[in-house]
Amino acid sequence: MTLAIETAPLRSLFLLNRSVPDPAVYARIAEIEQPWIDGLLAELEAETDPVPSRAAWLDLLDAQLQAEAADLGSLAYLAHEASYEEFRTFVLEFGPDGLTEAQNFFPAIARVPIKAQLALMRVLIDEFGCGNLQQSHSYLYIKLLAELGLPTELDQVLEHTSEPTFAFMNAFYWLAQRAPHVEYFLGALAYLEASIPPAFSLLAEGCLRLGIQNGAYYSEHVHIDAFHMKEMQTAIREHEVVHGLDATKVWIGAKLLSRVLGEAVENAVERARSTADAGR
Ligand SMILES: [Fe+2]
Ligand SMILES: [Fe+2]
């Protein structure tokens, strides 16, 4: 355990986040999580000007999404050029995320007013296929992994996943339950839902090009996250109605997620390309 923590602290944190949090587990979570999150927040706070209103947050998000949509280089590579083996490596890297999708959002429900709870629940119900296994996002990922001949159990896939991807997943465990202000979570999830359609349309294209039949995990998100991004803005508006809104914290939450997800995707594509190169 000690060696695993030294070599892959964010993988250890992911496992701790999914354990029963007895005092020893919680202490270890804090030990790994606090310096990592504190560092990230300090950097983001230093580079972020105050955001005066919800309208200003919406403009900033829009500008960020447009800038990112104009520069989807790594994902465009997966859409248009990656080999079957490279694409397969990318899918395996995100296995722990696909297999546990949206599970780490639940603690946030208890932290927002009732109309925001309902908006979040509408998102979560879709993530879990409206109770229908065939539509559940994690099941769609299982089918994708299975078609590619990859393991479909969490303890097996996480052996192949690297630290930047664990950072992305761990961020939501903190955001949903330990972030001191729930605005960080709301901004992060609003960003995630809005950034997925353009990104996943490229991954769906990659599946089509490579003859991968089970690309529905990606195409379903292109469709459903267009609704989820609106639900998240509803949740933010409802939070403002009841508690007021610190729009700067909403924006910092979005920037935090953009940072960790961007690093995870870049690393995953780079890794997929070098793994395939090594096999040539
Ligand atoms: Fe999803
Ligand atoms: Fe979603």
Side-chain angles (χ1 to χ4, degrees), residues 54-253:
R54 193 164 58 80
W57 133 256
L58 285 170
D59 288 345
L60 286 164
L61 176 65
D62 205 41
Q64 172 96 5
L65 291 168
Q66 278 188 33
E68 289 178 0
D71 182 24
L72 288 170
S74 298
L75 293 172
Y77 176 81
L78 292 177
H80 307 305
E81 292 176 62
S83 68
Y84 184 88
E85 198 49 39
E86 287 172 329
F87 201 92
R88 192 171 170 267
T89 304
F90 179 86
V91 169
L92 181 59
E93 171 73 33
F94 277 95
D97 180 55
L99 293 179
T100 64
E101 192 166 315
Q103 292 172 7
N104 47 6
F105 300 163
F106 280 95
I109 297 280
R111 305 182 62 194
V112 294
I114 187 159
K115 288 187 184 169
Q117 290 173 24
L118 300 182
L120 274 178
M121 279 309 299
R122 288 192 290 274
V123 171
L124 284 166
I125 286 167
D126 287 338
E127 304 291 347
F128 288 81
C130 302
N132 172 0
L133 180 67
Q134 298 299 329
Q135 288 301 318
S136 144
H137 293 184
S138 286
Y139 189 67
L140 294 176
Y141 211 87
I142 288 173
K143 287 179 35 174
L144 178 60
L145 288 165
E147 178 183 343
L148 298 176
L150 295 167
T152 57
E153 295 297 328
L154 180 59
D155 58 347
Q156 294 172 311
V157 288
L158 63 79
E159 290 301 317
H160 304 277
T161 293
S162 46
E163 290 290 275
T165 303
F166 284 113
F168 160 60
M169 294 183 285
N170 287 330
F172 269 109
Y173 286 93
W174 175 78
L175 285 159
Q177 59 192 321
R178 286 185 290 277
H181 304 278
V182 77
E183 282 107 324
Y184 291 128
F185 169 84
L186 293 171
L189 190 52
Y191 165 80
L192 180 66
E193 300 289 0
S195 67
I196 281 178
F200 277 23
S201 66
L202 289 171
L203 295 169
E205 222 177 304
C207 286
L208 273 180
R209 179 178 59 82
L210 293 164
I212 297 167
Q213 307 292 314
N214 287 284
Y217 174 80
Y218 299 120
S219 54
E220 173 61 16
H221 278 92
V222 175
H223 160 72
I224 206 81
D225 284 349
F227 294 97
H228 292 175
M229 71 172 86
K230 292 184 187 142
E231 294 291 8
M232 289 313 301
Q233 295 304 339
T234 302
I236 291 168
R237 193 181 63 231
E238 292 302 334
H239 188 278
E240 181 175 41
V241 168
V242 177
H243 296 303
L245 191 72
D246 185 335
T248 308
K249 290 192 168 61
V250 177
W251 176 228
I252 286 177

